[in-house]
Amino acid sequence: MKKNFFIAFEGIDGSGKSTQVKLLKEKLEAAGLKVYVTCEPTDSPMGKMIRDIFSHKIEADHRTIAALFVADRLDHLLNKTNGILKMLEDGYTVITDRYYLSSYAYQSPYMDLNWVIQANSLSAGLLRPDLNIYIDISPEISIERINKGRTSVELYETIGNLKNVRDKYFEIIELLKNEEKIFVTNGNQAPGGIANEIWTEISNRFLEDPENKN
Ligand code: ADP
Ligand code: TYD
């Protein structure tokens, strides 16, 4: 049995994370791994509260939002029924659509990055991703994709904000290059091309069997 691992997808809104998570899951399963897919914000009561803030149903300060993400993430890790740590223990390879790098990038335009990093240090201490995959797309393309088929705009989904968030991602990638494994892929190409880049990286890092590397 191959050893299971933990992957976090990162990127600005509409960067193609969900699309790539699905494609990677299929490839890993075809290679014989058990795969569990999850995301943040989660569907726990804390995650629901965050989504209500994002859809403007309730209002909250950005610092409150940062703290809610900290709590939602700890539950995401520690939940006894389907927490990430439990799923890893049960032998699943876990893929999450967003993890703490999202908090560093999205919350730090509004508050001190060091506070956000410190506030998430419990989660980082419990579990660092074996690999973060950052899908890079231009904020212009992101907004175009988001606006297709949508009538409402969520908190953080403006071009100015997404430019800030993308800059923050790059600042963080440089800042944390010795602590975090981060693979950057060009998201401005067709889904198949991105999936191939990701698969080459994953199979080189984690799969022993060369037959599964294509
Ligand atoms: P995210 O999960 O990062 O928000 P999605 O995977 O949901 O992104 O993609 C956002 C939108 O862009 C969807 O409509 C999806 O079909 C489309 N999309 C995803 N990847 C690509 C791509 N590489 N090129 C063009 N459109 C894409
Ligand atoms: P998500 O559902 O992944 O949105 P999308 O599919 O459009 O990328 O995430 C919802 C929003 O939550 C997104 O704008 C990013 C934001 N977010 C934070 O601000 N901080 C965080 O720690 C996380 C996990 C997400």
Side-chain angles (χ1 to χ4, degrees), residues 13 53-56 60 62 65 153-158 161:
D13 296 60
I53 294 167
F54 277 52
S55 60
H56 310 285
H62 293 290
I65 296 173
V153 175
E154 292 202 332
L155 192 70
Y156 300 150
E157 286 182 348
T158 62
N161 188 63

Side-chain angles (χ1 to χ4, degrees), residues 10-17 98 106 134-140 142-143 146 161-163 165-167 169:
E10 295 287 347
I12 61 174
D13 296 60
S15 53
K17 291 176 281 77
R98 298 195 180 282
Y106 278 83
Y134 175 70
I135 305 178
D136 184 42
I137 66 164
S138 74
E140 287 79 7
S142 153
I143 286 290
I146 291 169
N161 188 63
L162 292 177
K163 279 186 177 157
V165 173
R166 181 169 179 266
D167 290 346
Y169 266 119

